[in-house]
Amino acid sequence: MKRSEPGAGGAPAARRRVRVLWLVAAVAYALDLGSKVAVVARLEGRAPVPVPVLGSWLELRVQRNPGAAFGMGGASTIVFTLIALAVALVIVRVSRRLTSTPWAVALGLLLGGAVGNLTDRLFRSPGGMRGAVVDFVAVRDFSVMNLADWAITCGGVLIVVLSFGGHEPGDARPPRERAGRRRAAHLSR
């Protein structure tokens, strides 16, 4: 058995996956926070028109968003703050049993994005769990988002792909191998 398989040094493998999760979360958070600090310092209030990145398809357009995606739920900022906090806590709890690297990446993206937006909600004006998130990546005919939103979106898509592919967060073996071992265990009873 390989060390990454459950039952053969599973604890070191799980610790490695947790480190991957924390590394991905830290990178996602740092990129989000750094980009927001730069955008607020250099563009907010100074750029009356969007700054084109890829023509009109992708622009930098600063706006404060007290709500969720697409600006919905502006009056429910505290609810979104509590949801982000709950997501972060659940991910930290699940990480203890994590043995799948793809799940570590997906959950790291979710955690980094959730904490990035949570930081805005806690510390940006007006503060006290009601802060407005800084959004600035404008995709034509879609939405204005930030890097935390992109991390959450990519992490969510990866989770859907992993789930439909039969990958579980606590089992690093490929789905076919897990199914084969389950059948063998069932037949030996």
Side-chain angles (χ1 to χ4, degrees), residues 13 67 77 91 98 106 129-130 134 143 145 153 156 158 160 164 181:
T77 306
I91 291 171
L98 191 63
M129 295 183 18
R130 294 180 308 202
V134 175
S143 181
M145 301 168 70
T153 301
L158 185 53
V160 169
F164 279 118
R181 287 193 181 173

Side-chain angles (χ1 to χ4, degrees), residues 127-148:
M129 295 183 18
R130 294 180 308 202
V133 172
V134 175
D135 287 334
F136 60 92
V137 179
V139 179
R140 186 165 110 187
D141 299 327
F142 182 59
S143 181
V144 180
M145 301 168 70
N146 57 48
L147 298 186

Side-chain angles (χ1 to χ4, degrees), residues 29-181:
Y29 178 73
L31 289 172
D32 178 65
L33 184 62
S35 64
K36 288 175 181 173
V37 168
V39 162
V40 167
R42 295 176 187 223
L43 295 179
E44 190 172 52
R46 296 184 188 161
V49 293
V51 177
V53 176
L54 292 173
S56 63
W57 287 96
L58 183 67
E59 301 172 329
L60 299 180
R61 183 183 330 140
V62 184
Q63 67 184 45
R64 299 288 178 121
N65 180 4
F70 308 106
M72 296 187 304
S76 303
T77 306
I78 291 176
V79 172
F80 298 125
T81 303
L82 294 173
I83 290 170
L85 187 57
V87 166
L89 292 173
V90 167
I91 291 171
V92 169
R93 183 170 172 97
V94 168
S95 72
R96 296 180 201 159
R97 296 183 310 273
L98 191 63
T99 57
S100 167
T101 301
W103 271 94
V105 171
L107 293 175
L109 288 168
L110 279 181
L111 181 60
V115 173
N117 283 339
L118 183 60
T119 300
D120 281 358
R121 301 234 183 254
L122 293 174
F123 299 110
R124 294 208 186 268
S125 177
M129 295 183 18
R130 294 180 308 202
V133 172
V134 175
D135 287 334
F136 60 92
V137 179
V139 179
R140 186 165 110 187
D141 299 327
F142 182 59
S143 181
V144 180
M145 301 168 70
N146 57 48
L147 298 186
D149 297 333
W150 285 102
I152 291 167
T153 301
C154 292
V157 168
L158 185 53
I159 285 172
V160 169
V161 169
L162 291 170
S163 296
F164 279 118
H167 293 277
E168 298 174 14
D171 196 343
R173 293 174 291 154
R176 286 186 179 149
E177 187 179 324
R178 284 196 309 272
R181 287 193 181 173

